[in-house]
Amino acid sequence: MAMNSRTKEDQFHIIHKVPYGDGPYVRAKHAQLVERDQEGAIVWFWKAINAGDRVESALKDMAVVMKQLDRTEEAIEAIKSFRCQCPKSSQESLDNVLIDLFKKCGKVDEQILLLKHKLRMIYRGEAFNGKPTKTARSHGKKFQVSVRQETSRILGNLGWAYMQKSNFIAAEVVYKKAQMIDPDSNKANNLALCLIKQARYNEARSVLQHVINGEMPGSNNIRARNRARELLNETWRPTSELLPGLPGLDLDDDFVNGLEKLMNVWAPSRSKRLPIFEQIENFRDQIAC
Protein backbone atom coordinates (compact mmCIF):
# COMPACT_ATOMS: atom_id res chain seq x y z
CA MET A 1 0.00 0.00 0.00
CA ALA A 2 2.84 2.36 0.91
CA MET A 3 4.56 1.46 -2.36
CA ASN A 4 1.37 2.23 -4.31
CA SER A 5 1.07 5.60 -2.55
CA ARG A 6 4.70 6.37 -3.38
CA THR A 7 4.12 5.48 -7.03
CA LYS A 8 1.13 7.84 -7.23
CA GLU A 9 3.20 10.63 -5.68
CA ASP A 10 5.97 10.03 -8.23
CA GLN A 11 3.45 10.08 -11.06
CA PHE A 12 2.04 13.37 -9.76
CA HIS A 13 5.48 15.04 -9.80
CA ILE A 14 6.26 13.62 -13.24
CA ILE A 15 2.94 14.64 -14.80
CA HIS A 16 2.90 18.16 -13.34
CA LYS A 17 6.70 18.64 -13.44
CA VAL A 18 6.64 19.80 -9.83
CA PRO A 19 9.82 19.18 -7.79
CA TYR A 20 9.80 17.29 -4.49
CA GLY A 21 9.82 19.07 -1.14
CA ASP A 22 7.82 21.63 0.80
CA GLY A 23 9.92 24.82 0.55
CA PRO A 24 8.75 28.11 -0.97
CA TYR A 25 10.15 27.26 -4.42
CA VAL A 26 8.22 23.98 -4.55
CA ARG A 27 5.07 25.80 -3.41
CA ALA A 28 5.62 28.38 -6.15
CA LYS A 29 5.86 25.64 -8.78
CA HIS A 30 2.73 23.97 -7.37
CA ALA A 31 0.83 27.27 -7.65
CA GLN A 32 2.17 27.83 -11.18
CA LEU A 33 1.72 24.35 -12.66
CA VAL A 34 -1.02 22.66 -10.65
CA GLU A 35 -3.26 25.41 -9.30
CA ARG A 36 -2.64 27.66 -12.33
CA ASP A 37 -2.50 30.60 -9.93
CA GLN A 38 0.14 32.79 -11.57
CA GLU A 39 -0.18 35.71 -9.14
CA GLY A 40 0.09 33.33 -6.20
CA ALA A 41 3.12 31.69 -7.82
CA ILE A 42 4.89 35.06 -8.00
CA VAL A 43 4.31 35.59 -4.26
CA TRP A 44 5.91 32.22 -3.52
CA PHE A 45 8.78 32.80 -5.96
CA TRP A 46 9.59 36.04 -4.11
CA LYS A 47 9.55 34.10 -0.82
CA ALA A 48 11.92 31.54 -2.32
CA ILE A 49 14.31 34.26 -3.53
CA ASN A 50 14.31 36.04 -0.16
CA ALA A 51 14.82 32.73 1.65
CA GLY A 52 17.70 31.70 -0.65
CA ASP A 53 15.73 28.68 -1.85
CA ARG A 54 16.88 27.80 -5.40
CA VAL A 55 17.29 31.48 -6.25
CA GLU A 56 18.43 30.90 -9.83
CA SER A 57 15.44 28.70 -10.71
CA ALA A 58 13.05 30.97 -8.81
CA LEU A 59 14.29 34.05 -10.70
CA LYS A 60 14.01 32.38 -14.11
CA ASP A 61 10.60 30.83 -13.45
CA MET A 62 9.23 34.04 -11.94
CA ALA A 63 10.40 35.97 -15.01
CA VAL A 64 8.48 33.55 -17.25
CA VAL A 65 5.30 34.02 -15.22
CA MET A 66 5.71 37.81 -15.08
CA LYS A 67 6.21 37.90 -18.85
CA GLN A 68 2.93 36.02 -19.30
CA LEU A 69 1.20 38.59 -17.08
CA ASP A 70 2.75 41.57 -18.95
CA ARG A 71 4.87 42.45 -15.94
CA THR A 72 8.07 42.38 -17.97
CA GLU A 73 9.64 45.48 -16.44
CA GLU A 74 9.33 43.94 -12.95
CA ALA A 75 10.96 40.75 -14.19
CA ILE A 76 13.89 42.71 -15.62
CA GLU A 77 14.44 44.57 -12.35
CA ALA A 78 14.18 41.36 -10.34
CA ILE A 79 16.89 39.63 -12.38
CA LYS A 80 19.16 42.69 -12.30
CA SER A 81 18.76 42.99 -8.52
CA PHE A 82 19.15 39.34 -7.50
CA ARG A 83 21.40 37.76 -10.11
CA CYS A 84 24.34 38.50 -7.82
CA GLN A 85 22.99 35.75 -5.53
CA CYS A 86 23.27 33.19 -8.34
CA PRO A 87 26.44 31.20 -9.18
CA LYS A 88 28.74 32.29 -11.99
CA SER A 89 27.71 29.26 -14.04
CA SER A 90 24.13 30.58 -14.21
CA GLN A 91 24.91 34.09 -15.48
CA GLU A 92 24.78 33.18 -19.19
CA SER A 93 21.34 31.64 -18.88
CA LEU A 94 20.14 34.69 -16.92
CA ASP A 95 21.44 36.87 -19.76
CA ASN A 96 19.31 34.81 -22.15
CA VAL A 97 16.23 35.44 -20.01
CA LEU A 98 17.02 39.17 -19.94
CA ILE A 99 17.41 39.30 -23.72
CA ASP A 100 14.01 37.66 -24.12
CA LEU A 101 12.47 40.18 -21.70
CA PHE A 102 14.12 43.13 -23.46
CA LYS A 103 12.68 41.85 -26.74
CA LYS A 104 9.22 41.51 -25.20
CA CYS A 105 9.07 45.10 -23.95
CA GLY A 106 10.84 46.73 -26.90
CA LYS A 107 14.12 47.61 -25.15
CA VAL A 108 16.13 47.19 -28.34
CA ASP A 109 19.23 49.16 -27.27
CA GLU A 110 19.57 47.09 -24.09
CA GLN A 111 19.10 43.93 -26.14
CA ILE A 112 21.89 44.95 -28.54
CA LEU A 113 24.31 45.74 -25.69
CA LEU A 114 23.70 42.40 -24.01
CA LEU A 115 24.01 40.43 -27.27
CA LYS A 116 27.36 42.15 -27.96
CA HIS A 117 28.45 41.30 -24.41
CA LYS A 118 27.64 37.63 -25.03
CA LEU A 119 29.65 37.68 -28.26
CA ARG A 120 32.63 39.22 -26.47
CA MET A 121 32.45 36.38 -23.94
CA ILE A 122 32.77 33.96 -26.85
CA TYR A 123 35.80 35.86 -28.22
CA ARG A 124 37.47 35.59 -24.80
CA GLY A 125 36.68 31.89 -24.46
CA GLU A 126 34.37 32.48 -21.48
CA ALA A 127 31.14 31.20 -23.03
CA PHE A 128 29.65 27.92 -21.75
CA ASN A 129 32.00 28.27 -18.75
CA GLY A 130 34.91 27.42 -21.04
CA LYS A 131 33.33 24.21 -22.43
CA PRO A 132 32.92 23.54 -26.17
CA THR A 133 29.23 22.65 -25.86
CA LYS A 134 26.31 23.12 -23.51
CA THR A 135 23.03 21.29 -22.93
CA ALA A 136 19.99 23.26 -24.06
CA ARG A 137 16.30 22.48 -23.76
CA SER A 138 13.48 23.18 -26.19
CA HIS A 139 9.88 21.92 -25.90
CA GLY A 140 10.92 19.55 -23.12
CA LYS A 141 13.77 17.97 -25.10
CA LYS A 142 17.47 18.27 -24.30
CA PHE A 143 20.13 18.69 -26.98
CA GLN A 144 23.75 19.80 -27.31
CA VAL A 145 24.67 23.23 -28.67
CA SER A 146 28.20 24.07 -29.80
CA VAL A 147 29.88 27.45 -29.32
CA ARG A 148 29.81 27.84 -33.09
CA GLN A 149 26.03 27.31 -33.24
CA GLU A 150 25.53 29.66 -30.31
CA THR A 151 27.58 32.37 -32.02
CA SER A 152 25.45 32.12 -35.15
CA ARG A 153 22.27 32.21 -33.06
CA ILE A 154 23.40 35.34 -31.17
CA LEU A 155 24.41 37.06 -34.41
CA GLY A 156 20.99 36.25 -35.83
CA ASN A 157 19.32 37.82 -32.81
CA LEU A 158 21.61 40.84 -33.09
CA GLY A 159 20.69 41.22 -36.75
CA TRP A 160 17.00 41.13 -35.87
CA ALA A 161 17.52 43.78 -33.17
CA TYR A 162 19.27 46.06 -35.67
CA MET A 163 16.36 45.59 -38.04
CA GLN A 164 13.98 46.83 -35.35
CA LYS A 165 16.01 50.05 -35.36
CA SER A 166 15.87 50.17 -39.19
CA ASN A 167 19.67 49.84 -39.21
CA PHE A 168 19.66 47.48 -42.19
CA ILE A 169 23.35 47.98 -42.99
CA ALA A 170 24.48 46.71 -39.57
CA ALA A 171 21.85 43.95 -39.71
CA GLU A 172 23.18 42.85 -43.10
CA VAL A 173 26.74 42.67 -41.75
CA VAL A 174 25.89 40.44 -38.79
CA TYR A 175 23.44 38.25 -40.76
CA LYS A 176 26.12 37.56 -43.37
CA LYS A 177 28.54 36.69 -40.61
CA ALA A 178 25.99 34.34 -39.00
CA GLN A 179 25.43 32.62 -42.34
CA MET A 180 29.18 32.07 -42.80
CA ILE A 181 29.32 30.33 -39.42
CA ASP A 182 26.13 28.24 -39.38
CA PRO A 183 23.74 28.96 -42.28
CA ASP A 184 19.99 28.41 -42.19
CA SER A 185 16.96 29.49 -44.19
CA ASN A 186 15.46 31.76 -41.52
CA LYS A 187 18.56 33.95 -41.31
CA ALA A 188 18.82 33.86 -45.11
CA ASN A 189 15.30 35.27 -45.38
CA ASN A 190 16.12 38.00 -42.88
CA LEU A 191 19.31 38.83 -44.76
CA ALA A 192 17.29 39.12 -47.96
CA LEU A 193 14.87 41.47 -46.20
CA CYS A 194 17.81 43.69 -45.17
CA LEU A 195 18.90 43.84 -48.80
CA ILE A 196 15.36 44.61 -49.96
CA LYS A 197 15.15 47.48 -47.48
CA GLN A 198 18.29 48.89 -49.13
CA ALA A 199 16.76 48.40 -52.60
CA ARG A 200 19.46 45.85 -53.48
CA TYR A 201 16.96 43.58 -55.17
CA ASN A 202 19.28 41.47 -57.34
CA GLU A 203 21.33 40.43 -54.30
CA ALA A 204 18.14 39.68 -52.34
CA ARG A 205 16.82 37.49 -55.16
CA SER A 206 20.05 35.50 -55.21
CA VAL A 207 19.78 34.79 -51.46
CA LEU A 208 16.09 33.88 -51.68
CA GLN A 209 16.59 31.48 -54.60
CA HIS A 210 18.88 29.34 -52.44
CA VAL A 211 16.02 28.93 -49.95
CA ILE A 212 13.34 28.34 -52.60
CA ASN A 213 15.53 25.80 -54.43
CA GLY A 214 16.12 23.88 -51.18
CA GLU A 215 19.85 24.63 -51.17
CA MET A 216 19.91 26.16 -47.67
CA PRO A 217 19.77 24.19 -44.37
CA GLY A 218 16.20 24.33 -43.10
CA SER A 219 14.75 25.21 -46.50
CA ASN A 220 12.69 22.01 -46.44
CA ASN A 221 10.52 23.87 -43.92
CA ILE A 222 7.41 24.95 -45.83
CA ARG A 223 7.04 28.16 -43.81
CA ALA A 224 10.60 29.23 -44.62
CA ARG A 225 10.09 28.59 -48.34
CA ASN A 226 6.73 30.37 -48.38
CA ARG A 227 8.28 33.40 -46.69
CA ALA A 228 11.11 33.35 -49.23
CA ARG A 229 8.54 33.41 -52.05
CA GLU A 230 6.70 36.32 -50.39
CA LEU A 231 9.95 38.27 -50.06
CA LEU A 232 10.85 37.45 -53.66
CA ASN A 233 7.68 39.22 -54.78
CA GLU A 234 8.91 42.36 -52.99
CA THR A 235 12.11 42.44 -55.03
CA TRP A 236 10.37 43.41 -58.27
CA ARG A 237 10.45 47.14 -57.69
CA PRO A 238 12.12 50.04 -59.48
CA THR A 239 15.74 50.31 -58.31
CA SER A 240 15.19 54.03 -57.68
CA GLU A 241 13.12 53.25 -54.57
CA LEU A 242 16.07 53.69 -52.17
CA LEU A 243 15.34 54.30 -48.52
CA PRO A 244 16.41 57.77 -47.33
CA GLY A 245 18.53 58.32 -44.24
CA LEU A 246 19.71 54.78 -43.52
CA PRO A 247 21.54 54.63 -40.15
CA GLY A 248 25.25 53.90 -39.96
CA LEU A 249 26.82 50.62 -38.95
CA ASP A 250 27.00 51.09 -35.16
CA LEU A 251 29.67 48.36 -34.98
CA ASP A 252 32.75 49.28 -32.97
CA ASP A 253 36.28 48.22 -33.92
CA ASP A 254 36.71 45.71 -31.08
CA PHE A 255 33.45 44.02 -32.02
CA VAL A 256 34.43 43.76 -35.70
CA ASN A 257 37.93 42.49 -34.86
CA GLY A 258 36.46 39.84 -32.58
CA LEU A 259 34.18 38.59 -35.34
CA GLU A 260 37.10 38.44 -37.74
CA LYS A 261 39.18 36.36 -35.30
CA LEU A 262 36.35 33.84 -34.97
CA MET A 263 36.01 33.57 -38.73
CA ASN A 264 39.74 32.98 -39.14
CA VAL A 265 39.24 29.86 -36.98
CA TRP A 266 35.87 28.68 -38.31
CA ALA A 267 36.23 29.54 -41.99
CA PRO A 268 39.94 28.93 -42.80
CA SER A 269 39.12 28.21 -46.45
CA ARG A 270 38.02 31.80 -46.93
CA SER A 271 40.36 34.69 -47.52
CA LYS A 272 41.96 36.04 -44.38
CA ARG A 273 40.32 39.41 -44.91
CA LEU A 274 36.65 38.65 -45.41
CA PRO A 275 34.64 40.67 -47.93
CA ILE A 276 32.20 41.64 -45.24
CA PHE A 277 34.91 43.55 -43.37
CA GLU A 278 35.97 45.25 -46.57
CA GLN A 279 32.35 46.44 -46.78
CA ILE A 280 32.57 47.82 -43.26
CA GLU A 281 35.77 49.73 -43.99
CA ASN A 282 34.42 51.05 -47.29
CA PHE A 283 31.31 52.28 -45.50
CA ARG A 284 33.44 54.04 -42.86
CA ASP A 285 35.54 55.63 -45.61
CA GLN A 286 32.37 56.98 -47.22
CA ILE A 287 31.29 58.51 -43.92
CA ALA A 288 34.73 60.08 -43.44
CA CYS A 289 34.49 61.70 -46.87
Side-chain angles (χ1 to χ4, degrees):
M1 191 72 175
M3 180 66 72
N4 188 41
S5 175
R6 179 66 179 174
T7 301
K8 287 183 177 180
E9 182 182 354
D10 289 341
Q11 288 178 343
F12 173 84
H13 287 284
I14 293 170
I15 292 170
H16 295 285
K17 299 180 180 178
V18 176
Y20 290 90
D22 193 37
Y25 176 73
V26 172
R27 294 192 177 193
K29 295 300 291 182
H30 192 278
Q32 177 193 6
L33 301 174
V34 181
E35 299 171 8
R36 304 293 180 181
D37 177 10
Q38 309 299 346
E39 295 287 354
I42 289 174
V43 172
W44 280 107
F45 280 132
W46 273 124
K47 290 182 178 180
I49 292 167
N50 291 324
D53 181 15
R54 310 190 203 186
V55 177
E56 176 191 349
S57 297
L59 266 178
K60 291 177 184 176
D61 293 341
M62 185 173 71
V64 170
V65 175
M66 285 181 167
K67 180 183 173 184
Q68 292 170 348
L69 297 176
D70 290 325
R71 294 168 59 179
T72 312
E73 297 277 0
E74 289 181 64
I76 291 171
E77 289 307 313
I79 292 177
K80 286 182 176 179
S81 299
F82 290 92
R83 67 182 303 168
C84 59
Q85 297 185 20
C86 302
K88 183 180 179 181
S89 59
S90 69
Q91 297 303 313
E92 280 188 71
S93 58
L94 287 170
D95 283 341
N96 291 335
V97 175
L98 270 179
I99 288 169
D100 189 48
L101 294 171
F102 288 150
K103 188 174 182 179
K104 168 74 173 177
C105 63
K107 291 181 176 290
V108 181
D109 289 332
E110 290 87 343
Q111 190 181 349
I112 288 172
L113 285 173
L114 193 47
L115 287 167
K116 285 185 174 182
H117 166 72
K118 290 178 72 66
L119 286 168
R120 288 189 176 95
M121 288 184 65
I122 293 174
Y123 306 157
R124 296 193 294 260
E126 298 171 2
F128 298 0
N129 298 303
K131 299 177 181 178
T133 62
K134 73 171 182 178
T135 302
R137 185 189 297 271
S138 178
H139 305 293
K141 295 182 179 180
K142 292 183 178 180
F143 56 95
Q144 291 295 306
V145 176
S146 69
V147 173
R148 182 171 181 160
Q149 290 171 319
E150 179 73 353
T151 304
S152 181
R153 184 189 71 82
I154 294 171
L155 284 169
N157 288 340
L158 182 59
W160 182 253
Y162 276 128
M163 288 178 71
Q164 305 316 297
K165 293 177 68 67
S166 297
N167 192 338
F168 301 111
I169 296 174
E172 176 198 347
V173 168
V174 293
Y175 272 129
K176 282 184 174 179
K177 187 58 56 188
Q179 288 296 81
M180 290 178 185
I181 295 172
D182 188 35
D184 67 57
S185 57
N186 183 52
K187 291 194 291 287
N189 284 336
N190 288 338
L191 171 59
L193 180 56
C194 291
L195 296 169
I196 290 170
K197 292 295 185 180
Q198 298 174 66
R200 291 159 59 189
Y201 301 125
N202 289 335
E203 294 173 70
R205 282 194 285 271
S206 176
V207 173
L208 293 169
Q209 281 302 152
H210 287 298
V211 179
I212 294 170
N213 295 341
E215 301 167 356
M216 183 69 61
S219 55
N220 59 332
N221 184 299
I222 188 65
R223 291 178 63 183
R225 292 174 84 161
N226 285 341
R227 183 169 179 243
R229 292 188 181 97
E230 291 171 2
L231 289 170
L232 189 62
N233 290 333
E234 295 185 27
T235 65
W236 302 106
R237 299 177 181 177
T239 55
S240 60
E241 291 184 19
L242 293 171
L243 288 180
L246 286 173
L249 273 171
D250 189 30
L251 296 176
D252 57 81
D253 291 330
D254 288 342
F255 181 77
V256 170
N257 291 336
L259 282 175
E260 187 173 8
K261 287 177 182 177
L262 285 180
M263 288 308 300
N264 285 339
V265 175
W266 288 335
S269 60
R270 299 180 183 270
S271 63
K272 191 167 185 181
R273 187 66 179 177
L274 292 165
I276 195 165
F277 293 107
E278 300 297 343
Q279 291 175 21
I280 293 172
E281 289 199 343
N282 289 338
F283 183 83
R284 285 177 175 159
D285 290 342
Q286 291 170 20
I287 294 175
C289 295

